Amino acid sequence: MKKAVSFIIFLFFLPNLNLLYSQEKPKLVVGIVVDQMRYDYLYRFSEKYGENGFKRLLNDGFHAENTHYNYIPTYTAVGHSSIYTGTTPQNHGIIGNNWYDKFLKKNIYCVDDANYTTVGSNSNAGNKSPYRLQTTTITDQLRLAQNLHSKTISVAIKDRSAILPGGHTANAAYWFEGGKDGKWITSNFYRDTLPNWVLAFNNLKKADAYLKEEWNTYAPIETYTESIDDNNPYEGVFRGEKTPTFPHNIPVLKEKNGHTNLIKSIPAGNSLTTDFSLAAIQGENLGQTKNQTDFLAISYSSTDYVGHRYGVDSKEIEDTYIRMDLEIERLLNYLDKHIGKNNYTLFLTADHAVAQTPNYLNSLKIPGGYFDLAEFKNFVQTLSKEKYNSENIVENISNFQLFFNKETLKKLNLDQTAVEDFFAEELLFFENVNKTITSHTLNTSEFSNGIYSLVQQGHNQKLSGNVYIIPNHSVIGSGHKKTGTTHGSGYSYDTHVPLLFFGKGIKKGTSKKYYPIIDIAPTLANLLQIEFPNGTTGKVIEEALN
């Protein structure tokens, strides 16, 4: 009798199961990547934030406090690729922003593709595609699951930050081309013409309008107590400036700093990105297709440009994040109104964090320094001549990797593994080198933790170099002229980033468990009940989901 009743109840609900499933899916997923955002920025400047930006995500969403990049190198293209593919460079193949292609024997850029041309400009700034990305993305899987009936739009000032999150099937990726015109463009990989809404947006000349105002602090500068003195020797300057101090006279500086390119390096670049993102939601009718889930990928790039020039402890970076909080609030308010409060799911993270300026750390008697690449190359050449009587053993040095010339090794009848071991041992004697490891070791051993495991996850057997150099803590490249800062290491200051989930299907809460960045994509896939990206090595963050 009980079985019969249960069966009747099941039959009663069966016609409504599809409806129930469709109601559980968000109409729109929004992915936000804040370029170069350290985890501690959520709290360092929290007293200056309002209640409806970062704090709303913290209070009403799920916060994974111990999220890290689980590989080296921590660069922009690699970060965006890993977030959206759910795996590391070992599998997705984006091993840097630029890297040495040992087959073509030249340096290449991650999204350059001569097979395609620019849409929206006469320049070659749109000769791009995601073809070097070797796996699918969560955005690809969402479109595949819906037979391409849904839309994916990806937006960023940087081309790589727009192209890689959109995956291979995006309806379009848009990025900002500066110069005198200052407009959003794309590639004919996606489409042959700009849609009317993009043409209309470009005609507004919003970048020019933003650059008519000086960059001063949002609040009185004396309240910026979370940063060091405004005038200090650790920060860079714009061309035409003598000191790195507020206010920055943007209208005067514009001509000497690439015209509208200047907007990339000030908080107004993030405002422009929000403007364009909101126009994309409206112009593409995102979140309005019945029983379909669209995806909007947004990357805020200006935080990275500001951080590189001024560093972690500057008043400029404090002001940039105070203003970034306002952009998050503006975006959330728009989504509430046009998509509906319980109709979208959002995540916010960063593509990497960043080191503090070594010179500033040195002033506090904290170890840090600069890696002299020119001297390092001389050191390598000397080793090569002394040991092998050849200057052609090492073909390229880049991204803290040595690439060997295989033809030279063959000609000299040298064993590659033995040569790798020799350089790995001798390079330890160069200033600011902490550790080294060879490709042979990475290919024949498995590291489950520690710095070598991060190198291994970033090592692509086919594409990467022969010997890796791991600099000391808080050591960055000498190209930064000892002002500003950079990123790329596997140390916590470069790997620890925020991760916030918010909206439909997300459980309110906080976790202190360790989660690698590659867990984002499978978590979203599970929420959407679609297949994982095809290279996924991450896992579902069960705590985040209802």
Side-chain angles (χ1 to χ4, degrees), residues 121-247:
S121 166
N122 294 322
S123 74
N124 62 1
N127 298 9
K128 317 285 181 186
S129 86
Y131 89 96
R132 287 191 174 92
L133 186 65
Q134 296 174 358
T135 63
T136 61
T137 59
I138 182 64
T139 46
D140 286 327
Q141 295 300 149
L142 182 58
R143 293 209 75 211
L144 288 170
Q146 300 174 112
N147 296 319
L148 305 182
H149 295 310
S150 62
K151 286 185 177 181
T152 292
I153 301 294
S154 191
V155 173
I157 278 179
K158 294 181 181 179
D159 51 20
R160 58 187 180 270
S161 303
I163 292 168
L164 296 167
H168 306 274
T169 61
N171 299 82
Y174 297 103
W175 55 96
F176 184 74
E177 182 181 33
K180 291 187 177 181
D181 289 334
K183 51 191 175 183
W184 293 84
I185 63 171
T186 190
S187 161
N188 69 347
F189 173 85
Y190 303 100
R191 52 182 303 134
D192 294 326
T193 60
L194 290 179
N196 288 334
W197 69 265
V198 176
L199 294 172
F201 188 93
N202 283 338
N203 287 335
L204 294 174
K205 300 288 184 184
K206 285 206 166 193
D208 286 323
Y210 280 121
L211 293 172
K212 289 178 181 178
E213 301 177 6
E214 68 178 14
W215 177 18
N216 208 343
T217 54
Y218 180 77
I221 195 168
E222 59 270 17
T223 67
Y224 284 26
T225 54
E226 292 75 25
S227 44
I228 61 178
D229 291 342
D230 194 24
N231 194 5
N232 65 73
Y234 315 117
E235 300 174 15
V237 296
F238 289 115
R239 295 186 191 93
E241 282 187 322
K242 293 182 179 179
T243 60
T245 53
F246 283 109

Side-chain angles (χ1 to χ4, degrees), residues 68-87:
H68 287 262
Y69 279 88
N70 60 329
Y71 61 80
I72 297 172
T74 44
Y75 296 144
T76 293
V78 196
H80 284 79
S81 299
S82 300
I83 291 166
Y84 280 86
T85 63
T87 192

Side-chain angles (χ1 to χ4, degrees), residues 240 259 301 361 399:
H259 300 278
S301 304
L361 295 179
N399 293 338

Side-chain angles (χ1 to χ4, degrees), residues 306-376:
V306 175
H308 277 297
R309 176 171 278 112
Y310 296 104
V312 172
D313 300 284
S314 64
K315 300 225 180 285
E316 281 79 4
I317 205 69
E318 179 168 359
D319 190 68
T320 296
Y321 276 91
I322 291 170
R323 294 174 183 272
M324 185 73 250
D325 181 61
L326 297 173
E327 297 306 318
I328 299 300
E329 179 179 351
R330 183 155 69 104
L331 177 62
L332 291 175
N333 287 342
Y334 188 91
L335 292 170
D336 289 346
K337 182 176 180 180
H338 294 275
I339 307 300
K341 280 191 175 183
N342 197 37
N343 289 327
Y344 65 91
T345 304
L346 177 149
F347 74 85
L348 182 147
T349 189
D351 56 345
H352 52 74
V354 71
Q356 290 178 284
T357 304
N359 269 355
Y360 173 60
L361 295 179
N362 294 163
S363 74
L364 303 174
K365 300 180 181 179
I366 297 174
Y370 298 85
F371 192 90
D372 193 324
L373 183 57
E375 281 298 313
F376 181 73

Side-chain angles (χ1 to χ4, degrees), residues 249-409:
N249 195 336
I250 299 304
V252 171
L253 295 170
K254 178 180 174 181
E255 186 174 350
K256 290 185 178 180
N257 292 271
H259 300 278
T260 61
N261 276 323
L262 181 57
I263 201 169
K264 300 176 182 180
S265 301
I266 61 176
N270 292 329
S271 300
L272 181 67
T273 302
T274 304
D275 294 338
F276 190 77
S277 299
L278 302 187
I281 294 172
Q282 183 178 8
E284 296 288 346
N285 292 313
L286 297 180
Q288 304 303 319
T289 306
K290 187 177 180 181
N291 296 332
Q292 302 294 333
T293 300
D294 296 325
F295 202 115
L296 175 64
I298 308 171
S299 183
Y300 286 99
S301 304
S302 293
T303 43
D304 184 68
Y305 289 102
V306 175
H308 277 297
R309 176 171 278 112
Y310 296 104
V312 172
D313 300 284
S314 64
K315 300 225 180 285
E316 281 79 4
I317 205 69
E318 179 168 359
D319 190 68
T320 296
Y321 276 91
I322 291 170
R323 294 174 183 272
M324 185 73 250
D325 181 61
L326 297 173
E327 297 306 318
I328 299 300
E329 179 179 351
R330 183 155 69 104
L331 177 62
L332 291 175
N333 287 342
Y334 188 91
L335 292 170
D336 289 346
K337 182 176 180 180
H338 294 275
I339 307 300
K341 280 191 175 183
N342 197 37
N343 289 327
Y344 65 91
T345 304
L346 177 149
F347 74 85
L348 182 147
T349 189
D351 56 345
H352 52 74
V354 71
Q356 290 178 284
T357 304
N359 269 355
Y360 173 60
L361 295 179
N362 294 163
S363 74
L364 303 174
K365 300 180 181 179
I366 297 174
Y370 298 85
F371 192 90
D372 193 324
L373 183 57
E375 281 298 313
F376 181 73
K377 289 180 177 179
N378 291 334
F379 183 74
V380 170
Q381 285 288 65
T382 300
L383 288 174
S384 183
K385 286 178 67 176
E386 290 179 352
K387 178 69 174 178
Y388 302 109
N389 195 30
S390 172
E391 295 182 351
N392 299 318
I393 300 290
V394 178
E395 189 170 82
N396 179 268
I397 302 173
S398 56
N399 293 338
F400 293 102
Q401 297 174 50
L402 272 61
F403 291 79
F404 290 170
N405 185 313
K406 290 197 172 185
E407 290 78 11
T408 299
L409 296 182

Side-chain angles (χ1 to χ4, degrees), residues 54-68:
F54 289 126
K55 287 183 179 178
R56 182 179 172 195
L57 299 181
L58 285 166
N59 294 332
D60 297 337
F62 180 84
H63 183 199
E65 294 184 339
N66 194 17
T67 299
H68 287 262

